[in-house]
């Protein structure tokens, strides 16, 4: 089973991305978190290693890049695909995040249908 973790402090964005993932493949298990610290605690204490982790960049409790750095420090997470999302994704930010270990960086789509486009790129080996 493919397990996906979505971390975004905006509940609407969290729900939208989770719904789009389910539309792509209903067999994927999607775990959604509005608090990045709760998500990090879960993966470090329960030894849950998802296949994919989607992380919003702008969060108040822990920024997306802090979350990314923390996850990449965990040895068992070196092969996990991490996707960073933001309402804007300038090349300079995208490049910085990729240097920190992000596999993909995307600007959050405005329209729901557009989520499918970047999800297909990410899941191309799964669909």
């Amino acid at each position: 089973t493919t397990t996906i973790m979505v971390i975004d402090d905006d509940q609407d964005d969290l729900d939208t991305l989770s719904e789009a993932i389910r539309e792509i493949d209903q067999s994927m298990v999607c775990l959604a978190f509005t608090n990045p610290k709760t998500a990090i605690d879960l993966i470090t204490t329960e030894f849950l290693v998802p296949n994919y982790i989607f992380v919003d960049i702008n969060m108040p409790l822990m920024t997306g890049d802090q979350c990314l750095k923390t996850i990449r420090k965990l040895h068992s997470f070196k092969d996990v695909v991490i996707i960073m999302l933001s309402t804007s994704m300038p090349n300079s930010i995208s490049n910085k995040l990729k240097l920190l270990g992000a596999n993909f960086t995307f600007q959050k789509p405005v329209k729901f249908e557009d989520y499918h486009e970047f999800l297909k790129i990410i899941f191309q080996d799964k669909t």
Side-chain angles (χ1 to χ4, degrees):
T1 303
T2 300
T3 305
I4 298 166
M5 179 177 279
V6 181
I7 306 169
D8 194 324
D9 64 310
D10 184 312
Q11 187 67 53
D12 289 338
D13 287 348
L14 197 65
D15 293 343
T16 301
L17 180 55
S18 298
E19 184 179 333
I21 291 167
R22 279 191 296 277
E23 283 188 9
I24 295 269
D25 185 341
Q26 291 183 347
S27 71
M28 292 183 182
V29 174
C30 195
L31 307 170
F33 296 88
T34 54
N35 183 331
K37 292 183 179 197
T38 303
I40 298 291
D41 287 347
L42 177 72
I43 61 178
T44 55
T45 60
E46 300 297 322
F47 304 107
L48 169 73
V49 181
N51 303 88
Y52 300 90
I53 303 175
F54 290 81
V55 183
D56 179 39
I57 294 174
N58 300 309
M59 296 183 288
L61 297 172
M62 175 187 261
T63 64
D65 59 335
Q66 290 172 323
C67 192
L68 173 63
K69 288 179 202 174
T70 302
I71 294 168
R72 282 297 183 219
K73 285 181 188 172
L74 303 170
H75 178 70
S76 55
F77 284 72
K78 64 179 174 47
D79 295 327
V80 173
V81 177
I82 300 179
I83 305 94
M84 303 301 292
L85 301 168
S86 185
T87 49
S88 70
M89 185 64 72
N91 283 338
S92 59
I93 301 293
S94 176
N95 292 337
K96 176 186 165 201
L97 293 168
K98 287 178 180 174
L99 286 173
L100 292 174
N103 298 89
F104 297 96
T105 59
F106 289 100
Q107 185 168 321
K108 290 180 182 177
V110 176
K111 295 186 294 188
F112 179 77
E113 305 81 48
D114 295 337
Y115 275 87
H116 289 196
E117 294 307 310
F118 81 79
L119 289 173
K120 285 177 184 171
I121 294 167
I122 295 163
F123 301 137
Q124 63 187 334
D125 60 328
K126 296 284 179 195
T127 54

